[in-house]
Amino acid sequence: MADRNSPPVPGTSSDPAIAPGSAGSPALSARDRKLPVVAASIGNFVEWYDYAIYGTLAVVLATLFFPEQSTTAALLLTYAGYAVASVLRPAGALLFGALGDRLGRRSALSAVVLLMSVSTAAIGLLPTYADIGVWAPVLLFTCRALQGLSAGGEYGGSASFLAEYAPPGRRALYTSWQTFTVLLSFLVGALLGALLTRGLGQDALLSWAWRIPFLVALPLGVVGLYLRLRLQDTPAFTELHSRQEISRSPLKETAREHRGALARVWGLAFFGTAATFVFLTYSTTYTVVTLKSSLDVALTGLSIGLAVGLVLCPFVGIAADRWGRRPVMIGSTVVVLVLTYPVFLLMGQGSAPAIAAGFVLFSVLITLYTGAAPAVLTEAFPTRVRYSGLSMGYSVAGSLTGLLTPFVLEWLIDHTGTAIGPSLWILATGAVGLAAAIRLPETRGAELS
């Protein structure tokens, strides 16, 4: 149903400086598309930078905020920060998804990047357990809750923005920037952690230097907000608004008319978010705590692996544009399922070269899957409910994996051994992802609306 009483939308057809058009319109030049790609990507970078730096410094945060616990208990309590953020992600998806589908992608994404950058930087200002006791972890979890709220609205909005600005036949390449910025955020987080550890030493890192990576999020967020406020809204949303076809209730419409798409998005995202956590976040802690290696070795290996993934990412998008979404998603899922256990065995040898090789392979595996995923997820919904549908499906999956993964991994390692434990979790979530991939319709070349 069209909403003929919807308010004017800044940056859309109600703005006289902006002419409506259709997604992929030839009126948009490569230069016209450049700023939207950068603006969408930088917000996604800030969101995942938080996850990257929190996971990278989990061992340090455990020492600072839960010093009276055993190593395992302190790590589990630190990872509970992921659970706190995960609980709030669906709420953020509902809030910002509805905002993005009714008032425009630009408005929602601007609010999201501001909230994320402020809450991330706030962690860098927190007093530790030694300063204020139990209130320190309480404040830490409060910041994580705000981050979870903003994260619920980021992925769906930025992925929709990239897809709706993409030219015909290059949508997977454009949306692969979503994955590129995830990998880039982890790379920057790993390099900062390695630089601080190697350049300042463990004592300085525990004393004050751990705050720096979190504080960096604030200027990044300011840049992201500035770029997003300069944007026109997407051509697809602008045209929808000009025809007065904005959904009255995008959340209800999504739940009523797109349940199959929601289920497929949930299955794909459930596997993707679990694999991302295991390969790019948990593997650092696994290297230090389980393999008894140094944080420097772990961060160096992670940095090398992420650099390889960055190079590979656009080629995965190109492959999905050329050969289709289904073969890339099914093939990459099978590759992940087959190779995860051998890669953990390789890292289990404990040498620095073996650990670095494991990180490289992990990065390749996750990139093969997630490089094409944003195109598949955005193409699952029509323009009028895309932000809401994608945010709902993705955030619920991310919430569940965020709640379960840290604790399942610790339990599996304690009960099954160092290599097989994480592999079992990947196999379990991968089975869900494979089932969803097999049921995908082929959407290469399909119109977004």
Side-chain angles (χ1 to χ4, degrees):
M1 294 291 294
D3 186 356
R4 300 184 182 275
N5 298 314
S6 54
V9 181
T12 63
S13 58
S14 59
D15 187 336
I18 297 168
S22 61
S25 169
L28 288 175
S29 66
R31 183 177 180 180
D32 293 330
R33 303 179 199 274
K34 184 179 298 184
L35 180 60
V37 169
V38 173
S41 299
I42 194 169
N44 194 55
F45 173 89
V46 173
E47 175 197 347
W48 283 97
Y49 173 82
D50 157 59
Y51 274 72
I53 203 63
Y54 191 87
T56 298
L57 297 178
V59 177
V60 176
L61 294 175
T63 302
L64 293 171
F65 286 87
F66 307 98
E68 296 184 353
Q69 309 297 322
S70 67
T71 300
T72 300
L75 279 173
L76 286 175
L77 287 169
T78 303
Y79 280 128
Y82 282 106
V84 171
S86 296
V87 170
L88 270 293
R89 286 186 72 166
L94 296 176
L95 171 64
F96 293 110
L99 178 65
D101 279 329
R102 286 189 57 81
L103 299 183
R105 282 65 164 124
R106 185 182 71 171
S107 300
L109 287 172
S110 298
V112 163
V113 74
L114 179 62
L115 179 58
M116 175 60 77
S117 58
V118 170
S119 55
T120 300
I123 293 179
L125 299 174
L126 292 181
T128 64
Y129 190 92
D131 298 318
I132 60 172
V134 71
W135 285 106
V138 170
L139 291 174
L140 177 65
F141 288 164
T142 301
C143 292
R144 292 294 298 168
L146 293 174
Q147 289 168 334
L149 189 69
S150 60
E154 174 60 39
Y155 188 95
S158 56
S160 297
F161 212 95
L162 291 168
E164 292 172 7
Y165 260 105
R170 302 182 68 188
R171 197 178 301 139
L173 174 60
Y174 265 59
T175 55
S176 70
W177 277 95
Q178 188 87 351
T179 299
F180 185 93
T181 50
V182 171
L183 297 173
L184 183 62
S185 68
F186 277 91
L187 177 58
V188 171
L191 289 175
L192 271 175
L195 179 64
L196 293 173
T197 302
R198 186 174 297 178
L200 299 175
Q202 191 74 12
D203 291 340
L205 186 65
L206 289 170
S207 176
W208 58 271
W210 67 273
R211 301 179 183 276
I212 296 174
F214 292 101
L215 295 174
V216 167
L218 187 58
L220 289 175
V222 170
V223 173
L225 179 63
Y226 171 74
L227 290 175
R228 287 182 170 182
L229 289 175
R230 289 186 60 199
L231 287 175
Q232 303 173 5
D233 223 312
T234 70
F237 182 84
T238 300
E239 184 176 2
L240 195 72
H241 186 269
S242 69
R243 297 200 307 263
Q244 297 185 331
E245 294 179 359
I246 301 297
S247 175
R248 292 179 181 272
S249 181
L251 299 176
K252 290 182 179 179
E253 183 176 331
T254 301
R256 183 177 65 247
E257 300 181 13
H258 303 284
R259 288 190 292 270
L262 273 174
R264 289 191 294 273
V265 166
W266 181 87
L268 294 171
F270 182 68
F271 176 44
T273 53
T276 298
F277 184 94
V278 173
F279 293 160
L280 301 184
T281 300
Y282 181 77
S283 54
T284 303
T285 301
Y286 175 83
T287 301
V288 175
V289 176
T290 305
L291 300 183
K292 308 301 181 184
S293 186
S294 68
L295 182 59
D296 184 51
V297 168
L299 294 177
T300 300
L302 179 60
S303 299
I304 296 171
L306 291 169
V308 173
L310 287 173
V311 175
L312 177 63
C313 188
F315 293 101
V316 177
I318 292 171
D321 279 330
R322 177 171 298 180
W323 296 311
R325 284 39 165 162
R326 289 188 77 251
V328 173
M329 295 302 292
I330 293 172
S332 61
T333 304
V334 172
V335 170
V336 173
L337 294 178
V338 170
L339 294 183
T340 296
Y341 180 61
V343 175
F344 270 108
L345 285 179
L346 173 63
M347 293 186 70
Q349 295 180 15
S351 66
I355 290 172
F359 274 111
V360 169
L361 291 172
F362 278 154
S363 185
V364 169
L365 293 178
I366 194 64
T367 304
L368 288 175
Y369 184 83
T370 59
V376 175
L377 302 182
T378 54
E379 290 164 352
F381 303 98
T383 301
R384 56 189 279 123
V385 297
R386 179 167 298 115
Y387 200 143
S388 296
L390 179 50
S391 296
M392 288 168 62
Y394 186 87
S395 65
V396 170
S399 178
L400 186 59
T401 56
L403 287 168
L404 293 178
T405 300
F407 305 101
V408 170
L409 291 176
E410 288 294 335
W411 186 88
L412 287 172
I413 287 176
D414 286 342
H415 288 78
T416 65
T418 59
I420 190 65
S423 304
L424 290 175
W425 182 236
I426 294 297
L427 289 173
T429 58
V432 176
L434 183 59
I438 290 172
R439 294 179 61 85
L440 279 175
E442 181 53 68
T443 52
R444 177 173 64 95
E447 291 292 333
L448 280 179
S449 58

